[in-house]
Amino acid sequence: MTLTTWDIRPETIGINDWAPEIDSLLEDPDDNRVVFNVDEADTRPYDAIFLGGGAAGRFGSAYMRAMGGRQLIIEAWPFLGGSCPHNACVPHHLFSEVAAELMLARTFSGRFWFPDMDGRITSIKEIVDLFRAGRIAPHAIMNFQSKEQLDLEYVLNARGTIIDANTVEVAGRRFTANNLILGLGARSRPLDCPGADIHGVYTYETLVEDLDYEPGDTVVVIGGSKTAVEYGCFFQATGRRTIMVVRSELLPILPDAETRDYTITMMKEQGMEIWEHSVATHLEGDHNGKVKAITVKTPDGVRRIETDFVFHGLGEIPNSEMAVEKLGVKVGDEGQIIVNPQMQTSVPNVYAIGDLIGRPMEMFKARKSGMYASRHIMGEDVHYAFDEFPDFLHTHYEVSWFGMGEEEAREVYGDVTIIKMPPETEDGWEVALPATDRMMLYAFADPRKSGFQKLIIASASRKVVGAHHVGAGARDAFQYLFQMYKRGLTIDDLAVMDELFLNPTHFIQLSRLRAGAKNLQDL
Ligand code: NAP
Ligand code: KPC
């Protein structure tokens, strides 16, 4: 196919102008323009070519440019920002918000102002279509912001090929740079099971591209970590029977046993069916080639479920193949490119960032790894270790955490103080605490569902060593609390902070109730 060039360098393209262009480049198979935003008048060499313009490449580029460096992004999609706004985090957040709204509506079905939801199935396709129609807006913002506000150079809508550690070819042109920064992302791990490729079997990537029918009343989700749980809770909240087929155990990622227990108990009380230690053995298609049933080997025997909709979230495979083949970079067990704390690979002048360097495949790590690679190239002495970080996932709730769970903290510190809500009673979960915004209706009308939270303090040092929250609205606090924790946050520091009542974590006022004592007690 002949490629055509669209040189946008001399133009100013507003956000609203970008939207139809990106739409055309994405949807029209005959629109094969390669978007060039290259400053041909600048004779300086590039400090770096970023191969991949996702969150990692875009933030690395912005930082390099802000430091006075020269960069070029080469990106296969016709927009910057990568999978996050296209098929990953942004749709996941939309679907998780729908799950939370529907959980409220179903819990209070027929009460107050809520309609009767009994037996009512809401549309999955409508929400998927809503996302698909709306995702062009963030794409347009990223292209606009990157060019007009951040002054970045980029080539879009064409795949770059690595020639060597300083050279990338794209759309018939070769660009050279002092350094190459790889930000090629990751892709869904395929389901290795007969029938896995039939119509009606989706990943988070294919769901938003290909869903062309309204799923029936039974959904099967394969996988037991963040992706599977987040999408599973959305599907279940729409009123469908939802079965999670989990190879080992559900959500081992949650480090605190009591928090995990609350999270999973609430999923079950919402109606999720969780089949642990179970493996899908084959999928059957109907005469139109669409999935009609799945067979699962469970600890209780082989079970066959009739369904026209299967989703799997089995983790991510880093897109490291080209870099291995062309440059010989070292990779780890999961195909992730191995980097040092400066984001350098095993090949001189080649850096790697984002999901390509493995877990955690989170936005903060993508963006920060890009930034640290740029800072190093621009001569700063930097060190980025992403071995500890605040974390979150969605069920029908938001779950946020950092640090240790209670069990590990007891092993490491011996004497720990636990501050939690609901308080320890015979069945604390029935208590109308925590009470906080977006949980107030639950607190008053269905207290068991009002959330769970726990702060773990090493009693001798009085330092916070772990924090866990299930509910709504606490995620923002956790990203700041984590920074304080890294600097040695104590119960006494919390006790003098200013709570904006009713704050979702309640950690400040609860700490203040106990901090006066020399010998700390649980609460
Ligand atoms: P993941 O954390 O790698 O977990 C993969 C899940 O799939 C596990 O439950 C695993 O089971 C199961 N699995 C893997 N291969 C399987 C197979 N062949 N058959 C059956 N089950 C299999 O994957 P993820 O949840 O998709 O997350 C991927 C990355 O994206 C992570 O780094 C995550 O942090 C990030 N992410 C973040 C969010 C967020 O909200 N913060 C959301 C989505 C994804 P075992 O436990 O038995 O191995
Ligand atoms: C709108 C939004 O922040 C989601 S898309 C983020 C892409 S990027 O800013 O490049 O990380």
Side-chain angles (χ1 to χ4, degrees), residues 404-418 456 465 522:
M404 294 177 191
E406 183 175 335
E407 299 70 27
E408 188 186 357
R410 286 196 189 283
E411 265 176 41
V412 174
Y413 295 102
D415 187 7
V416 297
T417 302
I418 304 297
I456 303 160
V465 296
D522 293 344

Side-chain angles (χ1 to χ4, degrees), residues 165 323 327-330 338 344-351:
L327 301 170
V329 294
K330 274 198 190 134
I338 307 287
Q344 292 171 293
T345 69
S346 58
V347 175
N349 301 110
V350 179
Y351 293 71

Side-chain angles (χ1 to χ4, degrees), residues 54-55 58-59 81 84-85 90 138 142 363 367:
R58 207 174 83 84
F59 273 70
C84 166
V90 176
M142 299 302 146
M363 285 296 273
R367 291 165 165 173

Side-chain angles (χ1 to χ4, degrees), residues 122-268:
T122 56
S123 175
I124 291 174
K125 187 167 182 306
E126 192 178 7
I127 302 299
V128 170
D129 289 346
L130 179 73
F131 168 71
R132 240 178 97 83
R135 70 180 170 181
I136 296 295
H139 294 343
I141 293 167
M142 299 302 146
N143 285 8
F144 165 81
Q145 183 192 64
S146 303
K147 178 171 180 289
E148 312 303 340
Q149 297 182 306
L150 301 173
D151 194 24
L152 304 185
E153 294 185 50
Y154 53 74
V155 178
L156 304 179
N157 208 32
R159 257 172 217 290
T161 305
I162 300 170
I163 303 299
D164 59 37
N166 301 94
T167 316
V168 178
E169 187 171 287
V170 62
R173 279 187 66 176
R174 284 194 177 191
F175 291 91
T176 58
N178 296 334
N179 299 281
L180 176 58
I181 306 185
L182 305 169
L184 291 164
R187 59 186 185 275
S188 291
R189 185 186 312 287
L191 176 63
D192 183 15
C193 167
D197 54 356
I198 54 186
H199 184 208
V201 181
Y202 295 96
T203 63
Y204 72 91
E205 287 160 322
T206 57
L207 181 76
V208 295
E209 302 303 337
D210 302 339
L211 184 66
D212 56 0
Y213 64 97
E214 187 60 56
D217 60 9
T218 301
V219 172
V220 173
V221 174
I222 307 169
S225 200
K226 291 178 179 179
T227 306
V229 166
E230 286 161 351
Y231 281 77
C233 288
F234 164 50
F235 302 142
Q236 191 278 330
T238 63
R240 291 167 171 84
R241 180 185 183 198
T242 301
I243 300 164
M244 301 228 31
V245 175
V246 183
R247 177 171 70 178
S248 50
E249 287 177 354
L250 191 73
L251 293 179
I253 194 173
L254 295 177
D256 181 72
E258 203 177 6
T259 308
R260 179 170 174 265
D261 188 25
Y262 180 83
T263 304
I264 295 176
T265 300
M266 289 301 122
M267 282 172 68
K268 288 181 180 164

